[in-house]
Amino acid sequence: VQEELRLAMALRCNVQTPTAHVWLRAFTSRFDFATRGVLSSALAVAASLQEHLMDVLVWHSHVSPARPPHATAVGLFALSAARADARLAAELRPLEVDGKLWSLTIEAVLAGALKNVRRRGSLRLPRATPAAADTDQAFGLEKALSAALEFATMRDMDSVKAIARRTLEILRVSFASQVPKLPGRGTV
């Protein structure tokens, strides 16, 4: 495996992206299962966004041991899910970052990255799903979001948060450098 990775890096190939696509589909299926389909519409928005972001990575990134496919997929899954549903954004928000700033930064960085998608026509961020009303089901779901994210990505919540923030910073530097860096620790 190491020899294949060195060869791919020497040839400047991007062999990680198809693998990351598979991880993203697996995470989406596992998350949908863990949340019993309650967030299916948000996951559809997130899946559309993931597809476009993977296109960006195909054209703008290369194989790197620092960004393995699983971690790349965790970051894209977390950010696209956070963009798709306000409850997930709140769950992934670093404690030292204001909630509104976190959401606006995700929005601006993902919009900047999507400008690089090589498709005809203009591409816009899909509409986010607003947080559900205060119902027993919504309350129970909010308590279970961390567990569902951990189950879906096979990572603990602290790792998911760190990877999401690192992925956001990588995308910000590459595609939306005019967006200010988030305050606090954990930036790249």
Side-chain angles (χ1 to χ4, degrees), residues 167-188:
T167 302
L168 184 66
E169 182 61 13
I170 289 166
L171 290 171
R172 186 194 70 78
V173 168
S174 299
F175 304 112
S177 58
Q178 74 283 2
V179 175
K181 183 189 279 191
L182 286 171
R185 57 187 166 81
T187 54
V188 176

Side-chain angles (χ1 to χ4, degrees), residues 51-69:
E51 191 67 31
H52 297 311
L53 289 170
M54 287 308 299
D55 284 352
V56 170
L57 290 179
V58 166
W59 293 104
H60 293 94
S61 71
H62 298 285
V63 170
S64 165
R67 283 188 265 161

